[in-house]
Amino acid sequence: GKRAHEVFGMKVLYYNRSPVTDLKFEASVRFDLDALLEESDVISLHLSSDKGNKNFISKSRMKKIRPSSFLINTSRGDVIDQMALIDLLEKKKLAGAGLDVFLNEPNVPLRLRRLSNVTLYPHIGSATHETRTKMGMLAVENLIAFFNEKKVINQL
């Protein structure tokens, strides 16, 4: 969001189930997801895969997205109705999609692979130097906690 706003001059809107108070860039909250979908040129998904998020971007929600918009998913494959997405892309009712995750990974449907308005990545969206460094340091901190018989940071 910060890079989109500061580097590309994009107006950043966000939807979250609860208020976000620690944003380090200018953004406007939308408490109505449908309104956000209707007014956004680029929609980027960043949510977990749980029961409440399965098909979060459903067929009916996808229809609210403008045909000139792009949908990016780097979260989890099951948060989008993948078949509805493929249908919209094939019919050019969505300008394009950037997908880093898929339903039933590692299988990517042939219909999706044949589309020219889609960019597909093999689940490497988090592969920035900063993120991988943080992931490595978190693993080290977990190991240190474990061997010092302390609570592991990411214990389920």
Side-chain angles (χ1 to χ4, degrees):
K2 182 177 180 180
R3 188 172 293 151
H5 173 70
E6 292 180 4
V7 177
F8 297 108
M10 296 172 79
K11 177 181 175 185
V12 177
L13 309 174
Y14 76 93
Y15 169 84
N16 198 51
R17 287 181 276 204
S18 56
V20 177
T21 58
D22 62 346
L23 287 176
K24 298 187 174 35
F25 58 92
E26 184 180 333
S28 300
V29 66
R30 293 293 185 269
F31 294 107
D32 181 346
L33 179 60
D34 290 340
L36 181 138
L37 294 173
E38 290 169 0
E39 65 182 294
S40 298
D41 294 318
V42 178
I43 298 144
S44 184
L45 302 175
H46 307 273
L47 59 152
S48 63
S49 176
D50 61 30
K51 289 180 187 176
N53 290 337
K54 185 173 172 57
N55 283 334
F56 183 78
I57 302 297
S58 62
K59 183 176 185 175
S60 63
R61 281 189 172 148
M62 268 186 244
K63 287 181 179 181
K64 296 183 182 306
I65 301 172
R66 295 185 298 213
S68 60
S69 296
F70 294 84
L71 181 63
I72 300 168
N73 186 13
T74 58
S75 56
R76 293 290 182 247
D78 65 353
V79 303
I80 292 180
D81 181 333
Q82 186 168 277
M83 293 309 294
L85 175 64
I86 293 170
D87 288 340
L88 285 178
L89 290 164
E90 286 177 339
K91 295 173 183 171
K92 306 292 186 209
K93 293 188 176 181
L94 187 63
L99 305 173
D100 185 51
V101 291
F102 311 93
L103 193 61
N104 303 316
E105 285 181 12
N107 302 311
V108 180
L110 183 59
R111 285 176 61 202
L112 193 57
R113 289 183 287 155
R114 287 184 171 165
L115 291 168
S116 63
N117 55 348
V118 178
T119 299
L120 306 173
Y121 282 90
H123 205 138
I124 59 170
S126 67
T128 64
H129 292 292
E130 297 86 358
T131 301
R132 295 302 167 134
T133 298
K134 286 179 185 177
M135 289 169 71
M137 293 309 296
L138 185 58
V140 169
E141 291 170 20
N142 277 322
L143 286 168
I144 291 169
F146 176 80
F147 286 112
N148 286 307
E149 298 181 5
K150 294 185 179 179
K151 186 174 188 230
V152 175
I153 299 165
N154 297 100
Q155 189 168 358
L156 298 175

